[in-house]
Amino acid sequence: MGLQPLEFSDCYLDSPWFRERIRAHEAELERTNKFIKELIKDGKNLIAATKSLSAAQRKFAHSLRDFKFEFIGDAETDDERCIDASLREFSNFLKNLEEQREIMALSVTETLIKPLEKFRKEQLGAVKEEKKKFDKETEKNYSLIDKHLNLSAKKKDSHLQEADMQVEQNRQHFYELSLEYVCKLQEIQERKKFEFVEPMLSFFQGMFTFYHQGHELAKDFNHYKMELQINIQNTRNRFEGTRSEVEELMNKIRQNPKDHKRASQFTAEGYLYVQEKRPAPFGSSWVKHYCMYRKAAKKFNIIPFEHRSGGKLGDGEVFFLKECTKRHTDSIDRRFCFDVEAADRPGVSLTMQAFSEEERKQWLEALGGKEALLHSFNRAIIPRPEGSAQLDKMGFTILRKCISAVETRGINDQGLYRVVGVSSKVQRLLSMLMDVKTCNEVDLENSVDWEVKTITSALKQYLRSLPEPLMTYELHGDFIVPAKSGSPESRVNAIHFLVHKLPEKNKEMLDILVKHLTNVSHHSKQNLMTVANLGVVFGPTLMRPQEETVAAIMDLKFQNIVVEILIENHEKIFRTPPDATFLEPVSLSTSPPNAPPRQSKRQGQRTKRPVAVYNLCLELEDGDSPNLPKEDTPTSNLDSLSSPSPTAAAVHGPPGPDKNHLLTDGGSFGDWASPVPCQTRSPMVQWLNTQSPTTPSCSPAITPPSPKPPPSPVSLPTTIVDKPPESVVNRKARAVYPCEAEHSSELSFEIGAIFEDVQTSREPGWLEGTLNGKRGLIPQNYVKLL
């Protein structure tokens, strides 16, 4: 039962039960007062906690925004770029969410805390003051009555009348105060129902608004989340393929490391212990150095390096070798030692120690010592063993039989082409298909002896067994380049053009296979083989680098992208000729060339991705370029992206160091001009991404000179278009263009600057040289070798 009502008539009786009811009302108000006081305290704690949470969320968002993923290689896939940008998207999402939380925290103060404090102060406080007055008047009234009743009846009538009047007035004042207090008690009991609950309603409305805003943000974020999940799944699938390739290469190198050494510009390089002589009492010490030797220049570089001290590099030394002598154990109490004498330091001889006798023999061979070994440090690319599969009539028969069986029996099988068959069965089927006698007897469409997964595995195995991948070693690098940068349209155009540069048989077989894969992708709801999944399966099958390295395997994801482009654009690529507008030659220009892309240029903030430009240099006459050994020529053929037209084109700046060179800067469509006639050279083709003429390209590493009118059509000097030798050692060079360095490791110079001790750098397309006593990197296409 609730509180009993306080009747006004009871104020005059002031019975004990009336007083009990008043005390019940007062106790309830006191409980309400304490509750509101605690609620205000909890509300303030809630606001403080909300602000702390908001600060922590903002700090978390700030950390997400500042972190950037590094990647292996020289480019990222679109999926990786989206994943990289996702942290900033998460940061922005949290930032927007915390802005709404901050609004909610402010509304809590205004809509809950302040109204409750006001109610407690003005309403409950007023009742407390009324209670004090009521208690005081009660004490006064009944004290006066006791005193009055104690008066003697013998007092004078006038005195008694005056006392009666005073008591009556006091009693009337007490009744009025009692009436007001009772009214106030009942009023506050009713008022608290809305004065207290209304701020609570406003508080929850603010909370609902906050959560509604969060819901709206989540709805806006949902589309991005779905796309990001696809990006993550694609990247995970590519990772699985890349990991298996890396592990396979690791196992190959583990079994035979000598056959997988990478080609190097140094004749010999590796760790040697060098004896450092000290004053007599201290004897000598042996310090580990990383040593590099170029035989052509007889130049020896040694750099102290100790792994156990955190891998700190010391100050290196350079000297020129005079002679090398093997040390025998009867002359030194250490094994595997030899002496080297410096030509530029008369009388100076260094004693070095190899890690083993075999390594000492290799160093002696490289340094021209007496001990020699038949194999050297560097190795050429080891050709892949040719399989029995051939790109001939039998090969087309195998392809068509397998495709027909798959489309008839298993087009809807889940995991088609990803689920592999039993190895022994696959080999048996492939052997029967490749045998002229048994090929026609194999019935793949109606026979239950061959599972669909066995047929798909046999098809993939046939393609992998070809002596050369279907998309050729020659065009491998050219196919990879557009997958790394540029707009989607430019990528399709580039792949479209390159497919038509394939040999006719390769293009025909690729057409048949990709058409089939397109059909497979159309049934992806049943077989779960999306275009991305098919790219993961067939990227390594259709494309392979000629040399197996980790760097090449890191490009595996771009091979997958190329296959995805083929599948998604099959009709355009194989049924229409390439767009002729992309084959226009460019005009002659006096602008300096673009510096080659630096592999190590990833310090600090990430730079904007370069616009993909394929620079196809002029084909040189026989006398214009040195005759390079076949194994040293670039894998990208000159004809891979050149036009068959016999007319020649003018050149937009000097060519890069390679015949196919990816520039870091794109031109605008305003640079196109008519070709310059020349009968002895084929045209240079520069392929640009589709972009507006007002769209700025990535700026080059140097400030180009002011524009000049185009010169008259003339034949290009061979000194400009001549390709520098593959290996430059101890040469001089003169700058033909000015350059401003972007990094401390690069050199700045003006036209005519002479560089000393120029040699090939490890950075592709760059040279190392000395200018005014400072050594650094020089763009190879900015200088002329003397």
Side-chain angles (χ1 to χ4, degrees), residues 497-515:
F497 180 76
L498 290 169
V499 164
H500 286 262
K501 302 303 293 183
L502 289 170
E504 195 59 36
K505 285 186 177 181
N506 296 60
K507 186 175 74 170
E508 182 183 353
M509 182 170 285
L510 186 63
D511 181 9
I512 297 170
L513 178 63
V514 173
K515 181 180 179 181

Side-chain angles (χ1 to χ4, degrees), residues 203-261:
F203 164 70
F204 278 97
Q205 183 61 37
M207 286 191 66
F208 297 151
T209 302
F210 167 71
Y211 287 116
H212 178 72
Q213 291 293 339
H215 174 70
E216 291 298 317
L217 287 174
K219 282 174 60 179
D220 296 340
F221 192 75
N222 189 59
H223 180 69
Y224 175 77
K225 181 188 71 173
M226 298 292 291
E227 290 184 346
L228 184 60
Q229 287 174 337
I230 296 173
N231 298 141
I232 292 172
Q233 187 59 45
N234 290 342
T235 303
R236 186 192 301 278
N237 292 341
R238 292 182 183 124
F239 162 76
E240 294 296 338
T242 302
R243 182 175 64 175
S244 62
E245 293 287 334
V246 170
E247 290 176 351
E248 182 180 347
L249 177 60
M250 179 183 66
N251 291 330
K252 288 180 181 179
I253 293 178
R254 179 184 292 149
Q255 293 169 7
N256 201 349
K258 294 178 183 177
D259 290 341
H260 289 81
K261 287 184 179 178

Side-chain angles (χ1 to χ4, degrees), residues 298-314:
K298 290 194 172 184
K299 189 173 183 180
F300 213 114
N301 297 61
I302 60 173
I303 302 172
F305 185 82
E306 179 52 61
H307 294 84
R308 290 172 295 183
S309 61
K312 185 177 180 182
L313 277 171

Side-chain angles (χ1 to χ4, degrees), residues 705-753:
S706 56
K708 298 180 181 179
S712 302
V714 293
S715 298
L716 293 175
T718 58
T719 55
I720 295 181
V721 299
D722 191 12
K723 180 183 175 184
E726 284 294 316
S727 179
V728 179
V729 178
N730 198 22
R731 297 279 297 276
K732 288 187 177 182
R734 182 176 69 245
V736 293
Y737 294 98
C739 180
E740 181 179 347
E742 280 191 334
H743 300 278
S744 59
S745 59
E746 300 171 9
L747 293 177
S748 297
F749 50 86
E750 298 295 333
I751 296 177

Side-chain angles (χ1 to χ4, degrees), residues 179-191:
L179 290 170
E180 290 178 1
Y181 181 56
V182 167
C183 180
K184 192 69 175 177
L185 281 176
Q186 298 189 113
E187 177 187 327
I188 199 67
Q189 293 290 0
E190 295 299 316
R191 180 186 288 271

